[in-house]
């Protein structure tokens, strides 16, 4: 997946900026890393929703390790539907039947071991695209005094974007780490990153994310 900005992207950014979009967010003093849905159901192609996320997993693993080294908390999310029904996800599963196998207790709902999740790390189980919708994530972050989230995960155009939109609605600055997010196709990935940066959050490099975890931003 190409990470370079195309000429078309640059033209859109220029028009957006002229139109009053693409403002800037400043990270706070109490960041957290939020790893969205890097569960086996997405990181292994044997599962319906899965695809190649190896580069994203490796980059996110490094971000998680750096965050831990600077006492920055790490939160994980997973999609795990009830075993005995679809709960609130009926409409979503009609649109994405590939996800029907992501059930509580199934390996597909487990966080990929390469990320180094530890016992006791906060885990948010969700049934919608956003990590905030119908979960207690906002309350957990507020209780911990978190004022900035660094977002990694999948997919860029789906759960990552939805999470950033809801973070913005919760008045919580979100910084999407470009190397740590991925999608099934390059087009939706690029479009989502551009849309996020234009309206809802910031899109930053992995090095910039390291600086935020180190308090150097």
């Amino acid at each position: 997946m190409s990470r370079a900005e195309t000429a078309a992207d640059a033209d859109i950014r220029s028009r957006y900026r002229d139109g009053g979009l693409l403002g800037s967010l400043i990270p706070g003093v109490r960041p957290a890393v939020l790893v969205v849905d890097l569960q086996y159901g997405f990181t292994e192609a044997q599962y319906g929703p899965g695809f190649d996320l190896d580069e994203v997993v490796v980059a996110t693993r490094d971000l998680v390790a750096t965050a831990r080294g600077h006492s920055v908390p790490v939160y994980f999310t997973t999609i795990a539907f009830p075993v005995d029904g679809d709960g609130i996800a009926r409409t979503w599963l009609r649109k994405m039947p590939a996800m029907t196998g992501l059930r509580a207790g199934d390996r597909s709902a487990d966080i990929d071991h390469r990320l180094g999740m530890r016992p006791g790390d906060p885990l948010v189980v969700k049934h919608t695209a956003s990590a905030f919708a119908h979960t207690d994530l906002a309350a957990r972050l507020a209780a911990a005094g978190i004022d900035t989230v660094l977002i990694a995960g999948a997919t860029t155009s789906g759960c990552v974007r939805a999470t950033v939109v809801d973070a913005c609605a919760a008045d919580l600055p979100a910084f999407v780490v470009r190397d740590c997010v991925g999608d099934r196709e390059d087009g939706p990935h690029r479009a989502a990153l551009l849309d996020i940066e234009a309206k809802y959050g910031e899109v930053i490099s992995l090095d910039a994310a390291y600086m935020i975890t180190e308090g150097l931003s």
Side-chain angles (χ1 to χ4, degrees), residues 7-20:
D9 290 342
D11 287 344
I12 292 171
R13 287 170 61 86
S14 178
R15 291 196 296 274
Y16 276 180
R17 188 172 286 107
D18 290 344

Side-chain angles (χ1 to χ4, degrees), residues 25-37:
L25 299 178
I26 300 173
V29 298
R30 180 62 174 158
V33 172
L34 178 58
V35 181
V36 178
D37 301 349

Side-chain angles (χ1 to χ4, degrees), residues 28-86:
V29 298
R30 180 62 174 158
V33 172
L34 178 58
V35 181
V36 178
D37 301 349
L38 289 184
Q39 60 198 87
Y40 289 119
F42 286 95
T43 65
E44 292 187 355
Q46 63 178 303
Y47 297 105
F51 58 103
D52 182 6
L53 278 167
D54 287 352
E55 291 184 4
V56 168
V57 169
V58 169
T60 303
R61 178 195 64 198
D62 293 345
L63 175 61
V64 167
T66 300
R68 292 194 195 283
H70 293 88
S71 300
V72 171
V74 181
Y75 295 73
F76 294 86
T77 78
T78 185
I79 298 172
F81 300 114
V83 174
D84 58 354
D86 298 337

